[in-house]
Amino acid sequence: MNKKIFSGVQPTGNLHLGNYLGAIKNFVSLNNDKKNKCVFCVVDLHAITTKQDPKELKNNIRETVATFVASGIDPKRSIIFNQSQVKAHSETAWILSCVARMGWLNRMTQFKEKAGKDKEKASVGLYSYPVLMAADILLYDTSHVPVGEDQKQHLELCRDIAQKFNNDFEVIDFFKIPEPLIQKEFSRIMSLKDGSRKMSKSEPSDLSRINLTDDKDQIINKIKKAKTDIFPLPSNKEELKDRPEAKNLLGIFSSLTNTSLDKNINNFSGKNFSEFKEDLSQALVDKILPISNEIKKLLNEKKYLDEILLNGYEKANEIASKKIKKIHEIVGF
Ligand code: AQP
C-alpha cells in the first residue's frame, strides 16, 4: 500500500535515544520505501509551548534537520520543513480548535504530566498543542503517523477531530482519518536513571539519556552509571515485569540490534549487568556514534541545512495552501 506519512519532532535540543528508537528509526525505513510519500516536520510552533531561548531555538531547528539527515532520511526523497514557515498550520489549528471539545482535551495525559501540579501556570499553547498536532497531520492527507507510544492519545484525538469536522460540515472523507504507526515493541524508551520514567529531553540529569550527539566516552560512561537492580539478568519475560530497568536496557539492546527480546533474554540469562552493559555500550557506539559524528559535521554546513528547509518549505507549502483554501470554502469564509 502507498502510504502518506507525516511526523514531527520538536526542536527543543538534546534529541535522544528515545526519539531515535521510538520515532526517527521508523522514519528512516519509511523514507527508504519508494512507495511512500513522507513529510517530516521540525515542529517549532510546538516547541514554544514551553519557554525557549530564541537563539538556541534557531540552532536547535538546524540540529533537528541535521539529525534527520544524519540518521538516514534523504531530503531528496522526503519533505523536511519547518512548521512555522507554512502558515496554514497555525490557521488550521485555530479552525480545528473550534471543532475540538474541551472535554476531549481535558483527558490528555501528556498535558497533565507536563503541566504538573501548577497547571494554572501552564501556557494555553501547551493545553491546545494536540489540536495543532491534528492540523499538522490533516493538512497533508496523511494515511500513517509514525510516533512513539507517548503520542498515541494525541493521535486518537486527531482522528476524533477529523471525524467531527467531516460530520459537522457534511464533507465525508475531506479529512483523511490517519492511522498511528507505533512499533509493537520498544516504543517507549525509559530513563537510564529510573525505569518507570520516559527518557526525555527535559529531564534535568543528562545521565538519564543518551543524546544523539554524545561521543563514545559519554555513551560508555552513561551505560556504566545506568540504574540496574541487584539480580543477574532474567531467564524469562515474566521476570521482567517487576524489573523496569532490566526490561528497558534489554529492550534498548534488542531495538538497536534488531533482534528479539526472547533471543536476548536467552543469551544474557544469568549474566551480571556489568557483562551485559559492555555489549550494550558496544551496540550503542556502533549505532549512535556514526550519527553523532555526522550531526556534528552537518552543523558546520549551515547553508546546506537551510537549503533543505527552504526546499521542503516550498513543497509543503504547496500542499498545505491547497488544503487550507478548501477548508476556507467549507467553513464559509
Ligand atoms: N522516551 C521515548 N521513547 C520512545 N519514543 C519517544 N519519543 C519521545 N520520547 C520517547 C518520540 O519522539 C518523537 C519526537 O518527540 P518530540 O520531540 O516531539 O517530543 P516529546 O515526545 O515531548 O519528547 P521528549 O523527549 O519527551 O521531550 P520533553 O522532555 O520536552 O517532553 C515523538 O514521536 C515521540 O513519541
Side-chain angles (χ1 to χ4, degrees):
M1 179 195 170
N2 295 359
K3 297 190 183 96
K4 283 191 176 176
I5 306 293
F6 182 97
S7 200
V9 172
Q10 295 187 61
T12 35
N14 293 336
L15 281 176
H16 53 74
L17 186 68
N19 298 127
Y20 179 73
L21 295 178
I24 299 172
K25 182 182 161 204
N26 215 356
F27 298 177
V28 176
S29 41
L30 290 161
N31 162 90
N32 288 345
D33 185 339
K34 286 195 182 125
K35 291 197 294 298
N36 297 331
K37 285 199 168 135
C38 301
V39 181
F40 298 117
C41 186
V42 182
V43 287
D44 51 353
L45 294 173
H46 286 286
I48 62 162
T49 55
T50 54
K51 198 167 182 337
Q52 302 296 325
D53 175 320
K55 269 203 200 103
E56 269 180 38
L57 181 61
K58 227 180 189 116
N59 290 334
N60 288 336
I61 290 169
R62 287 199 183 102
E63 189 170 317
T64 309
V65 179
T67 305
F68 283 167
V69 176
S71 303
I73 297 174
D74 177 0
K76 290 203 184 81
R77 189 178 286 171
S78 297
I79 298 176
I80 296 175
F81 78 105
N82 194 8
Q83 186 189 30
S84 62
Q85 302 303 302
V86 177
K87 307 298 178 220
H89 287 250
S90 314
E91 201 179 337
T92 308
W94 175 257
I95 295 167
L96 295 183
S97 73
C98 300
V99 174
R101 305 289 95 181
M102 291 285 288
W104 300 354
L105 282 173
N106 284 341
R107 284 196 285 275
M108 296 299 112
T109 52
Q110 195 185 73
F111 174 74
K112 289 179 195 159
E113 279 162 22
K114 286 199 172 177
K117 283 192 198 97
D118 210 356
K119 82 172 190 287
E120 297 293 314
K121 287 200 177 139
S123 73
V124 176
L126 188 68
Y127 179 74
S128 60
Y129 162 124
V131 181
L132 175 59
M133 179 168 156
D136 301 338
I137 295 166
L138 298 175
L139 274 171
Y140 297 88
D141 291 339
T142 304
S143 65
H144 292 83
V145 187
V147 279
E149 216 260 333
D150 58 322
Q151 291 296 333
K152 194 171 170 216
Q153 197 185 29
H154 290 167
L155 215 66
E156 281 159 9
L157 180 87
C158 168
R159 289 163 60 92
D160 289 343
I161 293 174
Q163 252 145 6
K164 184 160 164 44
F165 183 96
N166 290 350
N167 288 339
D168 286 359
F169 293 98
E170 297 179 20
V171 282
I172 306 305
D173 286 343
F174 174 70
F175 281 134
K176 303 283 169 285
I177 311 298
E179 297 286 338
L181 274 183
I182 299 174
Q183 295 168 84
K184 282 197 194 79
E185 286 188 300
F186 330 123
S187 58
R188 196 177 176 85
I189 304 300
M190 310 310 275
S191 156
L192 299 178
K193 289 272 134 209
D194 178 353
S196 65
R197 290 169 64 88
K198 194 180 82 150
M199 186 177 284
S200 151
K201 300 166 192 154
S202 49
E203 173 70 39
S205 168
D206 195 53
L207 289 174
S208 68
R209 62 183 164 261
I210 303 286
N211 299 310
L212 295 180
T213 47
D214 281 348
D215 62 26
K216 187 175 174 182
D217 290 344
Q218 284 170 311
I219 293 173
I220 293 171
N221 183 41
K222 285 179 182 179
I223 292 302
K224 226 178 237 163
K225 293 197 169 142
K227 186 178 170 195
T228 57
D229 51 43
I230 52 167
F231 306 106
L233 281 133
S235 56
N236 59 63
K237 258 188 191 163
E238 203 47 31
E239 279 180 58
L240 285 179
K241 275 194 182 143
D242 303 318
R243 300 179 61 186
E245 283 80 21
K247 185 176 173 202
N248 188 39
L249 295 182
L250 277 164
I252 291 174
F253 184 81
S254 306
S255 181
L256 280 170
T257 54
N258 289 319
T259 49
S260 75
L261 186 61
D262 285 325
K263 184 179 162 205
N264 293 316
I265 289 177
N266 264 340
N267 283 350
F268 293 105
S269 165
K271 292 195 174 153
N272 291 327
F273 273 103
S274 57
E275 229 175 305
F276 166 65
K277 279 182 169 184
E278 275 179 30
D279 286 34
L280 177 59
S281 293
Q282 191 56 51
L284 277 164
V285 168
D286 289 347
K287 193 82 206 173
I288 302 303
L289 197 61
I291 295 177
S292 170
N293 289 339
E294 188 62 19
I295 294 173
K296 285 169 194 153
K297 196 183 119 219
L298 285 170
L299 283 176
N300 290 319
E301 299 176 31
K302 285 196 179 125
K303 216 174 136 217
Y304 172 60
L305 297 174
D306 292 348
E307 263 167 31
I308 292 176
L309 283 176
L310 180 62
N311 202 282
Y313 154 74
E314 283 165 358
K315 291 181 187 155
N317 195 46
E318 198 183 324
I319 303 170
S321 301
K322 282 187 191 146
K323 196 77 179 172
I324 187 75
K325 209 166 159 230
K326 287 189 196 147
I327 296 173
H328 273 224
E329 283 164 22
I330 291 170
V331 172
F333 288 163

